[in-house]
Amino acid sequence: MIKTASSVSNDAARHLQKQILEGQFAPGSMLPGQRELSVSMGISRASLREAISMLEALGMVRSRPGKGVIVTSGQHRDASDLPDGPESIPAKAMFEYRITLEPMAAALAARCIEPAGASELWSLQHTLESAIAAKDLVLASETDLAFHTRVAELCGNPLFHEAIADARGRIAHNLRLAFADLERIQETAEEHRAITLAITTGNATGAHVAMRHHLTRTAERAGIALDLP
């Protein structure tokens, strides 16, 4: 099976994550240079940079221009220190964009959910809970992204699906930011469970409320307060 650039980057991110969690790279230490890492891992520097970008959004490392990449896992990070996402779109602006679309997509999905779709959402929920329990933030965030993308697909409105799909890379970065708060990562699973329950039981109002609550709390965990009506 031929791996895509995305899957190579994900595998590399999980490999580095494992080394950090096992103490091979302690908090405050520097990762080896990109040339050394790319050779030792057998991947391109482009794939390595994408993997490091994932870990930076997750709060596990921080790129320091002219110095390299420092391990920051478990350290506090506030909104002023959030890494730039694709196209340098501010995290707050991305959360505001998402909160205008995704609660309605969840409500629409609840109105037309079928057994196959419900089964998929619960499968994603179980994967998310397992990943969070194992502190596999890379898998957890990828499952989180798959969930939000699938809700948009299931809502029955192609415009919602297209909007979420077009912003996939920016949403991926955006949702990773909240996983840096290790003390609150379980909240993501609990909030997803509430959304999934509402959608799969056909509770449109509940799905809208649960998704809006989730996005507001996700922004809060990233250190961003959404001042919304």
Side-chain angles (χ1 to χ4, degrees):
M1 179 179 178
I2 299 176
K3 287 192 173 184
T4 64
S6 177
S7 65
V8 169
S9 297
N10 287 350
D11 287 348
R14 294 185 76 184
H15 177 73
L16 289 172
Q17 173 186 244
K18 184 173 185 290
Q19 291 181 307
I20 291 170
L21 293 177
E22 291 179 347
Q24 295 182 48
F25 300 122
S29 67
M30 303 296 293
L31 292 183
Q34 289 191 15
R35 184 192 298 269
E36 180 182 342
L37 275 178
S38 63
V39 170
S40 67
M41 297 172 69
I43 61 175
S44 70
R45 293 182 73 174
S47 293
L48 176 62
R49 284 193 293 270
E50 177 60 26
I52 289 174
S53 177
M54 290 182 198
L55 295 179
E56 188 165 17
L58 291 167
M60 303 195 76
V61 302
R62 184 64 163 149
S63 296
R64 302 295 185 190
K67 296 182 179 180
V69 180
I70 187 171
V71 177
T72 57
S73 180
Q75 297 180 10
H76 174 74
R77 180 176 74 183
D78 57 35
S80 64
D81 198 35
L82 294 178
D84 289 336
E87 303 170 34
S88 298
I89 294 175
K92 185 174 182 179
M94 196 65 218
F95 277 116
E96 290 170 343
Y97 173 80
R98 294 179 64 195
I99 209 165
T100 63
L101 292 178
E102 295 192 55
M104 181 58 72
L108 292 174
R111 292 178 179 175
C112 61
I113 193 69
E114 296 182 353
S119 179
E120 288 181 64
L121 293 183
W122 281 116
S123 178
L124 288 170
Q125 177 64 24
H126 297 324
T127 300
L128 177 65
E129 291 175 352
S130 296
I132 287 177
K135 290 187 169 54
D136 185 344
L137 303 187
V138 176
L139 178 58
S141 64
E142 288 303 301
T143 306
D144 192 346
L145 176 62
F147 172 81
H148 287 275
T149 302
R150 192 66 184 120
V151 169
E153 291 173 342
L154 292 169
C155 82
N157 186 319
L159 294 178
F160 279 86
H161 178 203
E162 182 178 340
I164 298 300
D166 286 348
R168 181 181 173 87
R170 284 168 283 180
I171 291 173
H173 174 84
N174 186 250
L175 62 81
R176 288 182 187 125
L177 299 175
F179 284 95
D181 189 343
L182 297 179
E183 294 182 356
R184 299 180 61 187
I185 57 174
Q186 185 60 38
E187 292 178 19
T188 296
E190 294 168 356
E191 291 157 14
H192 272 227
R193 178 169 283 277
I195 299 166
T196 299
L197 181 61
I199 291 175
T200 57
T201 57
N203 182 353
T205 299
H208 189 286
V209 170
M211 181 65 84
R212 184 180 175 90
H213 174 73
H214 168 56
L215 293 174
T216 302
R217 293 295 293 275
T218 300
E220 180 187 302
R221 289 190 289 274
I224 297 169
L226 296 180
D227 184 17
L228 299 172

